[in-house]
């Protein structure tokens, strides 16, 4: 499968037109590789470490030619390209080694079987619907039912086991044995959706990047908030994309080993 065919398939599934107006999905760097057979390294965030990983694989005889990332490399318009700047170095290495960088961000968040659906599936949620519907039955986040139900303690243990976050932050719980039947999830920074989650009737909301007063807001709205970290809540969708491309018949595709969680916790 050529890179152009792969991108065409993906955009028919997760249309870049679904991205938010502040976002930057699609090609970040395309160094003339569209007609090449696709050999893909998938990551959450396109960093120099991931680019060096791709170059190392090329040196081992695996002609990686595409880094497919969830987070955009370029958010704001560049004002200059200068040596020593990380984005400039990514551009230089991309062209010198013929490695493209493509991004699927908020369109991948909204689509069926994207970042939110993968989280819902990991927690075995049933009768799943978007937290905030958009067009054609798509939307941000997912909310669904647990069947059988779990205690809060069992749910927290399940999140810890299945997502392997380096740390787990959650609302103070009066009763760890309370019965949880309805859960909302949204990978990445989802605290701005708290009010929408409350309207769904969810008892628990799993997301990340929550601030002190957002935990207060959740408590005041009688919602248990779980922050499992940005990396842990979105990385599983990257792994799922690897499986999709393998099933599609892409010649070589792998999940990056140099993808990074930019938060470390002392003593963990």
């Amino acid at each position: 499968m050529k890179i152009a065919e792969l991108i065409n398939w993906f955009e028919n599934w997760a249309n870049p037109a679904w991205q938010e107006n502040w976002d930057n999905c699609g090609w970040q760097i395309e160094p003339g590789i569209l007609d090449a057979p696709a050999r893909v390294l998938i990551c959450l965030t396109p960093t120099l470490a991931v680019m060096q990983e791709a170059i190392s694989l090329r040196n081992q005889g695996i002609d990686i030619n595409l880094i497919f990332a969830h987070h955009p490399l370029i958010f704001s318009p560049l004002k200059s390209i200068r040596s020593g700047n990380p984005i400039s170095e990514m551009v230089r290495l991309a062209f010198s080694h013929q490695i493209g960088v493509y991004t699927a961000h908020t369109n991948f968040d909204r689509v069926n079987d994207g970042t939110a659906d993968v989280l819902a599936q990991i927690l075995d949620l049933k009768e799943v619907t978007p937290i905030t519907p958009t067009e054609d039955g798509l939307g941000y986040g997912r909310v669904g039912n647990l069947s059988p139900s779990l205690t809060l303690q069992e749910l927290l243990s399940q999140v810890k086991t299945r997502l392997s976050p380096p740390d787990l932050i959650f609302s103070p719980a009066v009763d760890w044995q309370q019965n949880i039947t309805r859960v909302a999830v949204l990978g990445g920074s989802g605290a701005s959706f708290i009010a929408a989650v409350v309207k769904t009737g969810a008892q628990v909301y799993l997301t990340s990047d929550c601030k002190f007063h957002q935990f207060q807001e959740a408590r005041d709205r009688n919602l248990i908030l779980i922050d499992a970290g940005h990396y842990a809540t979105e990385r599983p969708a990257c792994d799922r994309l690897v499986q999709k491309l393998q099933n599609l018949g892409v010649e070589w595709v792998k999940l990056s080993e140099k993808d990074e969680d930019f938060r470390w916790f002392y003593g963990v």
Side-chain angles (χ1 to χ4, degrees):
M1 172 175 283
K2 294 181 179 181
I3 288 177
E5 295 170 330
L6 166 59
I7 298 303
N8 183 61
W9 168 84
F10 183 85
E11 292 185 349
N12 283 332
W13 171 48
N15 193 332
W18 296 336
Q19 69 181 297
E20 294 296 322
N21 56 15
W22 49 262
D23 203 3
N24 188 30
C25 300
W27 282 109
Q28 309 285 284
I29 307 172
E30 197 283 283
I33 56 171
L34 293 179
D35 290 331
R39 297 181 180 90
V40 190
L41 193 61
I42 292 180
C43 65
L44 184 61
T45 309
T47 62
L48 283 170
V50 175
M51 178 62 78
Q52 292 293 350
E53 180 184 8
I55 294 169
S56 176
L57 287 166
R58 288 183 71 92
N59 292 337
Q60 297 170 38
I62 302 170
D63 293 330
I64 300 297
N65 49 25
L66 179 62
I67 293 173
F68 197 114
H70 179 46
H71 295 147
L73 175 68
I74 302 168
F75 261 121
S76 303
L78 299 177
K79 295 185 178 180
S80 66
I81 301 288
R82 303 182 63 180
S83 62
N85 176 278
I87 293 180
S88 300
E89 287 299 299
M90 288 284 284
V91 172
R92 180 182 69 81
L93 292 170
F95 275 91
S96 62
H97 292 276
Q98 292 290 282
I99 299 172
V101 179
Y102 183 93
T103 292
H105 195 212
T106 48
N107 57 327
F108 192 38
D109 289 330
R110 293 163 71 165
V111 73
N112 291 327
D113 214 27
T115 57
D117 270 330
V118 170
L119 264 186
Q121 292 160 17
I122 286 172
L123 294 185
D124 296 324
L125 299 184
K126 312 297 183 185
E127 302 169 315
V128 172
T129 57
I131 293 171
T132 302
T134 54
E135 69 283 4
D136 301 325
L138 307 177
Y140 288 112
R142 297 293 185 267
V143 59
N145 301 321
L146 287 171
S147 181
S149 62
L150 297 173
T151 67
L152 176 58
Q153 187 171 17
E154 289 170 337
L155 178 60
L156 288 168
S157 295
Q158 191 176 93
V159 170
K160 187 71 174 176
T161 299
R162 297 185 180 183
L163 295 183
S164 300
D167 198 24
L168 197 60
I169 307 170
F170 57 95
S171 303
V174 175
D175 181 8
W176 282 59
Q177 299 307 309
Q178 62 185 290
N179 213 38
I180 304 298
T181 59
R182 190 159 174 80
V183 177
V185 298
L186 191 151
S189 303
S192 63
F193 288 83
I194 288 174
V197 169
V198 170
K199 293 178 182 179
T200 69
Q203 300 159 275
V204 173
Y205 179 33
L206 170 65
T207 186
S208 75
D209 299 344
C210 301
K211 298 179 180 179
F212 179 87
H213 288 295
Q214 289 163 336
F215 275 93
Q216 177 190 6
E217 177 189 356
R219 183 204 64 187
D220 292 346
R221 292 176 178 268
N222 200 33
L223 177 69
I224 297 169
L225 188 59
I226 302 175
D227 185 331
H230 204 115
Y231 183 90
T233 57
E234 290 192 327
R235 172 83 165 175
C238 297
D239 191 32
R240 177 66 59 81
L241 187 57
V242 170
Q243 298 170 31
K244 281 184 173 291
L245 297 193
Q246 288 172 339
N247 293 336
L248 194 64
V250 172
E251 181 177 331
W252 195 98
V253 57
K254 181 183 176 183
L255 188 64
S256 169
E257 296 178 1
K258 298 298 183 181
D259 217 356
E260 300 171 73
D261 187 341
F262 302 115
R263 305 186 315 157
W264 284 26
F265 295 88
Y266 183 75
V268 175

